[in-house]
Amino acid sequence: MPGERLAVRDTSEVGRFPGAAPPTKVELTIHNEEEKKQEEGGCRRWFRKMCPCCCKRQNSTSNDVTDKVEYVKPPEPAKPKPENGEAKEIEEIKLSVCSVDLLSSKMGQNRQEHHTDLYQGDELIIRRGQTFQIELELNRPFNADNDKLHLDLRTGPLPMVSKGTHVIVPLVDHLEDERWEAKIVEKNVNKIKLSVNSPASAVIGLYGVTVTTSSSKDEAATTHNSSKNIVMLFNPWCEEDVVFLDDEEERKEYVLNDIGRIYYGTEKQIGARTWNFGQFHEGILEACLFILEKSDMPPSGRGDPVNVVRVISAMINAQDDFGVLVGNWSGDYSDGVSPSAWSSSVEILRKYLSSNGTPVSYGQCWVFSGITTTVLRCLGIPARSVTNFQSAHDTDVSLTTDVYFDENMKLIDYLNSDSVWNFHVWNDCWMARPDLPPGLGGWQAVDSTPQETSQGTFRCGPASVNAIRSGQVYLKHDTPFVFAEVNSDKIYWQRKLDGTFCQIQSEKKAVGHCISTKAVGSDERADITHLYKHQEGSEEERIAVETASRYGSKPDVYSSAMAEDVCVEVKMEGEGPMMGADAQLSILVKNLSSQPRRTTLHSQVAVMYYTGVLKGTIKKEQMHVELLPNEEKTIEWVLPYQQYQNQLVDQAALMLTLSGRVSETQQVLANQTSFRLRTPDLNITPLGDAFVGKEMAAKITFTNPLPRMLKGVVFRVEGLGLQKGHEVVVGDVGGHSTVTLTEHFIPTQPGPRKLVASLDCKQLTQVHGVADIVVLEQ
């Protein structure tokens, strides 16, 4: 069978690393006797017949099998002994390398064992801390007694042995862990096969390969440069690697899965969209290596995943270093692509690479997170996109979210720089943290959305999630900022007549709700709030908050007590208001005392970007409330469609602020509730069965929920293994009208696939849909 691999006598060093499972499939080719007789004319032709993988022509396809198979050679014809002069002539031939075969086939032993067979391209893509094999063709047989050989691997612009970017790989008799070494595991006439070992701390990146040969009688060594390169990645399968993840299902999800889910909306109206990470797509690995090259990090630092993640966090945004993506929260995306229109990292990274590093327009938090997941998984670091609902943005390192009122309980806009985003999407990445105290490894928060600078650059993390949970905000990197996002209290301040401020109320459960990520092995949502914080209101959670606050800019904020016998909260029916209809909420006011209470609630609703930045107030009113002892009252609050129809921005988000004072006790009431107006989904229906190489179709249907026309509607459709991403210009869609689009495409890859579509329109955002399609082989 062409491309078949036969085993060698010494296979103890082949595919060697802790936890490696032996392959189970062996394929053999049986030749008839007549063919054997025809091949007995020479040793070379015989070996080619018996071992076509080692003697294959250049255009043959490798299909390495790693099982140990013993073969008994037939007796070889006796060779005439060379004359003394001829033997002397062979010994005096200078040893040199004719060719180097890195055995880089996707179906070969190296790529299969290193879990890199999904990557495109013909480079040798391997993971550190694990052996790999290469084959050398020499100009004569290798003599271990007199000949010398070593490999040189170089990465970066100025490779240096002292920096670990120029690696000299010696030839040894036995391989040992955690060393760069090579061993000959197979010899055949002029060909030798090497098993090469790398340490689990090796620098990742692109290596050039040179083979240097010499003999004891040579005055100078000869070198041969490989025509192909080696790409070294992190290795979550290797126990010695800092990014080791000891769960095969989680490795499949957080390293090998190229499709995921990103969550958005509000805690009461959680929306989900499918995102194509596409880390194995053609050109993506090249783009990820390009990002590392474009950063200021020296190649010698690429062995430490903490350094790599920190650099990736900075390079995904273009805020201060010409990174991948330009952030835009203005609502005007006319000179680029609307953030909500993207559904894949592939197009963005390929644009960045093809333009030689020109930032792509535009992105917001979920796009930054999606690209970060792609890059980290591509480089071998387990990663996932994480959404935090009611996510605080602390601007003064107080570790509180502060709201300021004047003497008349009106908001002081210029002081209210802290905000609470409806949702914010960042990333978790998995690694040990030897630079931190024990117990703080595992998931680390990293955020590529440009919010605040860290050491002079817009980046965030990696911050230990365990440290965040316990309030250990004094540990690097950027732990205070992430802690405030998920567990800060919202503190209300009122200005006094002398200009100072006093604390009038606090909300202890205002931020950090329903922290979500895609579940392992399914499209379900997994709530991971418990990883970031103890149960709300528990003694452990309050200790964590008070511990963290002592390291903030307002360490005494929890020194005073406040009366709380009247409370106010906002409730929402079902999944909440629909776009195009009146928005209705319920305000519940409770008197927890045994005395009557009176108050006046001031309400104002503002259109809001999902980051918490307010665009403008669209409705204000006052409500007088009288409560009997221990009474509860429900007030129906309505925002007519006509009042918000021309005011909405991305995410269709609104913020309702309630404030008031209890007449009898002077207790201050304050509440802020954000909600979004739900948008419809795109319905995608596959038509017919799906087979590789056979045309099929899918119907996409959308109904405009608004009573007015949508102008300039564009659909974006993409499906990895189904069809390339492209735009379909739909044009104007009338009020409450339905548009149907039929897509025709030819699947190229078998297995479960997802067809993803999104709608891009100025008047309506976050409209998308997905269809599951199982593609069969014909």
Side-chain angles (χ1 to χ4, degrees):
M1 175 177 174
E4 181 182 34
R5 164 70 62 226
L6 303 188
V8 297
R9 288 188 177 85
D10 180 3
T11 58
S12 60
E13 307 294 352
V14 178
R16 169 185 151 281
F17 83 98
T24 58
K25 182 178 179 182
V26 180
E27 297 181 50
L28 304 176
T29 300
I30 300 176
H31 303 286
N32 59 44
E33 291 299 318
E34 183 178 351
E35 291 175 330
K36 287 184 178 180
K37 292 178 182 178
Q38 293 174 353
E39 294 302 321
E40 289 176 354
C43 178
R44 178 67 174 173
R45 288 195 299 273
W46 176 87
F47 194 83
R48 173 174 293 147
K49 199 67 177 178
M50 289 300 295
C51 192
C53 58
C54 293
C55 301
K56 62 181 181 291
R57 296 179 176 85
Q58 289 185 351
N59 61 354
S60 66
T61 303
S62 174
N63 186 21
D64 296 343
V65 179
T66 60
D67 298 71
K68 181 176 180 179
V69 184
E70 296 294 339
Y71 286 90
V72 178
K73 287 188 178 182
E76 298 185 13
K79 296 182 179 179
K81 293 183 179 181
E83 299 291 336
N84 290 338
E86 185 179 349
K88 185 176 181 180
E89 182 179 344
I90 293 176
E91 290 180 2
E92 291 180 351
I93 296 176
K94 190 173 185 179
L95 182 66
S96 63
V97 177
C98 300
S99 65
V100 177
D101 187 351
L102 296 183
L103 304 177
S104 58
S105 166
K106 291 175 62 177
M107 300 306 296
Q109 176 181 346
N110 283 332
R111 298 279 293 273
Q112 293 283 327
E113 288 184 351
H114 285 250
H115 306 91
T116 60
D117 52 300
L118 296 175
Y119 289 90
Q120 304 299 314
D122 59 356
E123 305 285 6
L124 175 56
I125 306 170
I126 56 176
R127 300 186 188 276
R128 65 186 192 175
Q130 185 174 343
T131 55
F132 60 95
Q133 286 71 51
I134 66 173
E135 288 183 348
L136 307 179
E137 183 175 359
L138 309 174
N139 64 327
R140 63 169 174 81
F142 184 84
N143 185 338
D145 295 330
N146 298 317
D147 295 330
K148 297 180 181 180
L149 180 150
H150 73 265
L151 307 179
D152 287 275
L153 277 61
R154 295 177 174 88
T155 185
L158 294 172
M160 298 177 63
V161 173
S162 61
K163 299 290 187 181
T165 52
H166 175 194
V167 178
I168 300 174
V169 186
L171 206 58
V172 297
D173 294 330
H174 300 284
L175 296 180
E176 297 184 19
D177 292 336
E178 291 300 296
R179 296 184 183 180
W180 279 108
E181 293 176 332
K183 176 185 177 180
I184 297 177
V185 292
E186 181 179 341
K187 290 183 183 179
N188 175 48
V189 193
N190 290 2
K191 280 197 171 184
I192 60 174
K193 183 176 182 180
L194 301 181
S195 184
V196 185
N197 192 42
S198 66
S201 58
V203 170
I204 68 158
L206 187 70
Y207 286 84
V209 181
T210 301
V211 184
T212 302
T213 57
S214 64
S215 67
S216 58
K217 296 180 181 180
D218 287 336
E219 293 184 357
T222 62
T223 60
H224 180 91
N225 295 323
S226 171
S227 60
K228 294 183 180 179
N229 298 313
I230 292 177
V231 179
M232 182 72 75
L233 304 176
F234 292 104
N235 194 351
W237 283 266
C238 177
E239 292 184 9
E240 288 75 29
D241 199 316
V242 179
V243 302
F244 173 66
L245 180 59
D246 190 19
D247 187 299
E248 181 59 24
E249 292 305 311
E250 290 188 355
R251 288 194 291 255
K252 290 178 181 178
E253 179 68 49
Y254 299 133
V255 182
L256 300 181
N257 194 358
D258 57 1
I259 300 176
R261 304 275 277 175
I262 296 179
Y263 299 93
Y264 66 96
T266 69
E267 60 181 301
K268 297 178 182 178
Q269 301 165 279
I270 297 177
R273 64 182 301 165
T274 298
W275 192 270
N276 290 329
F277 299 122
Q279 67 266 32
F280 305 117
H281 201 281
E282 184 177 358
I284 299 306
L285 178 56
E286 184 182 356
C288 295
L289 296 176
F290 174 74
I291 291 171
L292 290 180
E293 291 291 339
K294 193 168 170 38
S295 73
D296 292 332
M297 178 176 61
S300 58
R302 296 176 192 166
D304 183 356
V306 173
N307 288 342
V308 172
V309 165
R310 197 147 170 77
V311 166
I312 294 301
S313 171
M315 287 298 298
I316 296 305
N317 69 74
Q319 191 77 4
D320 47 21
D321 47 20
F322 296 99
V324 175
L325 193 64
V326 179
N328 187 339
W329 289 264
S330 70
D332 180 8
Y333 316 116
S334 56
D335 57 344
V337 175
S338 168
S340 63
W342 301 112
S343 59
S344 170
S345 306
V346 173
E347 183 181 353
I348 296 170
L349 288 170
R350 293 181 71 175
K351 277 186 177 181
Y352 185 70
L353 176 64
S354 62
S355 66
N356 197 33
T358 300
V360 180
S361 300
Y362 288 107
Q364 291 179 11
C365 70
W366 65 92
V367 190
F368 288 111
S369 174
I371 298 174
T372 301
T373 301
T374 299
V375 175
L376 294 182
R377 288 185 183 180
C378 185
L379 296 177
I381 300 175
R384 62 190 184 187
S385 290
V386 172
T387 303
N388 178 38
F389 293 94
Q390 294 297 99
S391 186
H393 180 179
D394 177 22
T395 59
D396 60 359
V397 202
S398 65
L399 298 174
T400 57
T401 303
D402 301 303
V403 182
Y404 293 93
F405 295 94
D406 64 12
E407 297 84 351
N408 299 316
M409 289 302 297
K410 292 183 179 179
L411 290 169
I412 306 176
D413 292 337
Y414 71 90
L415 290 181
N416 290 322
S417 56
D418 287 357
S419 59
V420 178
W421 302 20
N422 281 351
F423 70 96
H424 181 46
V425 190
W426 61 71
N427 293 84
D428 280 348
C429 62
W430 184 272
M431 66 181 71
R433 287 299 298 270
D435 57 323
L436 298 181
L440 298 178
W443 289 115
Q444 313 289 313
V446 55
D447 193 348
S448 299
T449 300
Q451 299 178 81
E452 300 290 334
T453 59
S454 172
Q455 295 177 320
T457 302
F458 280 94
R459 58 187 168 188
C460 180
S464 168
V465 172
N466 288 337
I468 294 164
R469 189 171 190 259
S470 59
Q472 295 172 279
V473 297
Y474 44 84
L475 299 171
K476 59 182 180 182
H477 292 282
D478 308 308
T479 312
F481 185 82
V482 184
F483 178 90
E485 288 182 303
V486 300
N487 207 15
S488 58
D489 287 350
K490 181 179 280 189
I491 308 295
Y492 294 87
W493 304 86
Q494 184 179 18
R495 186 170 60 196
K496 296 191 294 186
L497 294 177
D498 61 1
T500 61
F501 285 86
C502 63
Q503 184 181 157
I504 56 176
Q505 187 179 349
S506 68
E507 289 185 66
K508 297 179 174 61
K509 301 178 182 180
V511 305
H513 300 163
C514 302
I515 304 176
S516 304
T517 190
K518 177 186 173 300
V520 174
S522 77
D523 284 342
E524 297 301 313
R525 181 181 70 87
D527 191 306
I528 58 171
T529 308
H530 63 285
L531 299 182
Y532 275 85
K533 58 200 298 188
H534 295 282
Q535 183 177 358
E536 287 281 13
S538 67
E539 185 176 4
E540 295 90 340
E541 187 262 344
R542 297 320 301 168
I543 290 174
V545 171
E546 293 176 16
T547 298
S549 70
R550 286 198 288 267
Y551 297 91
S553 60
K554 298 177 181 177
D556 300 324
V557 72
Y558 294 100
S559 58
S560 59
M562 291 165 279
E564 295 180 350
D565 60 1
V566 176
C567 62
V568 59
E569 60 181 298
V570 177
K571 292 191 173 182
M572 186 182 307
E573 290 293 329
E575 295 183 352
M578 279 287 297
M579 173 75 76
D582 293 349
Q584 298 185 7
L585 302 175
S586 297
I587 301 172
L588 180 63
V589 187
K590 297 180 183 180
N591 178 10
L592 303 177
S593 75
S594 57
Q595 301 295 324
R597 295 286 184 257
R598 293 176 298 153
T599 184
T600 297
L601 286 178
H602 303 268
S603 73
Q604 67 177 44
V605 62
V607 174
M608 181 180 63
Y609 295 96
Y610 81 94
T611 58
V613 177
L614 301 180
K615 178 187 177 185
T617 301
I618 55 177
K619 181 185 179 182
K620 289 183 178 181
E621 61 181 343
Q622 293 183 358
M623 294 165 283
H624 300 284
V625 183
E626 294 187 2
L627 298 169
L628 297 175
N630 300 305
E631 184 184 12
E632 298 183 5
K633 276 191 176 180
T634 300
I635 303 168
E636 298 300 327
W637 180 88
V638 179
L639 176 64
Y641 168 73
Q642 290 75 14
Q643 285 191 257
Y644 72 76
Q645 62 176 334
N646 297 317
Q647 304 294 325
L648 294 180
V649 293
D650 284 357
Q651 310 295 327
L654 299 166
M655 168 71 82
L656 174 63
T657 300
L658 301 173
S659 62
R661 185 185 300 276
V662 178
S663 301
E664 291 80 3
T665 63
Q666 300 301 299
Q667 176 193 350
V668 173
L669 303 177
N671 179 282
Q672 285 186 318
T673 301
S674 61
F675 62 97
R676 70 180 181 93
L677 301 169
R678 291 187 294 123
T679 54
D681 293 327
L682 293 180
N683 294 316
I684 306 177
T685 306
L687 304 177
D689 296 328
F691 294 92
V692 173
K694 181 180 178 182
E695 182 176 306
M696 69 169 297
K699 183 172 67 174
I700 304 174
T701 305
F702 164 71
T703 300
N704 179 7
L706 303 182
R708 59 174 179 165
M709 179 177 292
L710 301 178
K711 296 184 178 181
V713 173
V714 175
F715 283 9
R716 301 174 71 90
V717 186
E718 181 182 23
L720 294 177
L722 298 174
Q723 65 172 3
K724 295 182 178 179
H726 67 285
E727 293 184 353
V728 179
V729 178
V730 176
D732 296 343
V733 178
H736 301 301
S737 297
T738 299
V739 59
T740 300
L741 170 70
T742 302
E743 282 283 298
H744 296 272
F745 51 91
I746 300 176
T748 59
Q749 298 180 18
R753 299 285 153 188
K754 292 182 184 291
L755 185 65
V756 183
S758 63
L759 179 144
D760 190 4
C761 172
K762 181 72 175 178
Q763 298 89 1
L764 193 63
T765 63
Q766 290 293 2
V767 177
H768 40 79
V770 60
D772 292 303
I773 299 176
V774 178
V775 182
L776 305 174
E777 296 276 13
Q778 289 208 64

